[in-house]
Amino acid sequence: ARHLYICDFHKNLIQSVRNRRKRKGSDDDGDSPVQDIDTPEVDLYQLQVNTLRRYKRHFKLQTRPGLNKAQLVEIIGCHFRTIPVNEKDTLTYFIYSVKNDKNKADLKMDSGVH
């Protein structure tokens, strides 16, 4: 078997995810956090205000007009965390796309031909 080197940072990251998954299944304490432990935090502050506004418009989020960036990030962050993601399907689609050098536009064209 061929062994690949994994740096300590990534090894610790993998082990911490494994430990969190074990703890997540146990109902020992009644205190369940509002946000899932395994959910990575997305830094929406990195996005431009126009991008945040387009997200708000796309998902038809109701807000008052004239919000600043911090307010937009807060509202969009709450909405973003509620979107369900099927991890298995997403990873399968990603791997398929990478292996076949495809993107969404390619798949739409392929399905229209048949």
Side-chain angles (χ1 to χ4, degrees):
R2 194 170 125 187
H3 297 282
L4 297 176
Y5 172 75
I6 298 177
C7 69
D8 290 334
F9 172 79
H10 288 102
K11 187 182 349 178
N12 292 334
L13 181 67
I14 292 167
Q15 289 176 344
S16 69
V17 169
R18 286 180 181 159
N19 290 337
R20 280 189 240 148
R21 285 186 179 160
K22 287 178 188 173
R23 277 188 263 133
K24 185 176 147 186
S26 64
D27 292 338
D28 295 338
D29 57 279
D31 299 333
S32 58
V34 174
Q35 186 176 357
D36 192 5
I37 295 173
D38 286 343
T39 305
E41 194 62 33
V42 177
D43 187 10
L44 296 173
Y45 280 101
Q46 297 294 321
L47 300 175
Q48 297 176 357
V49 176
N50 287 340
T51 305
L52 296 170
R53 288 185 181 135
R54 281 182 26 219
Y55 180 98
K56 182 184 84 150
R57 190 171 38 247
H58 176 78
F59 286 101
K60 298 177 176 87
L61 301 179
Q62 297 297 315
T63 62
R64 62 181 174 81
L67 296 177
N68 63 28
K69 185 174 186 174
Q71 293 166 326
L72 280 171
V73 166
E74 184 179 340
I75 291 167
I76 290 172
C78 290
H79 178 263
F80 185 77
R81 286 187 290 274
T82 63
I83 298 174
V85 176
N86 185 330
E87 239 180 281
K88 185 178 178 183
D89 289 346
T90 303
L91 289 172
T92 303
Y93 174 73
F94 175 76
I95 292 168
Y96 169 81
S97 298
V98 170
K99 281 187 171 184
N100 295 299
D101 196 29
K102 300 234 180 205
N103 62 31
K104 276 188 173 181
D106 294 335
L107 290 175
K108 286 179 184 175
M109 288 190 300
D110 288 346
S111 64
V113 174
H114 299 279

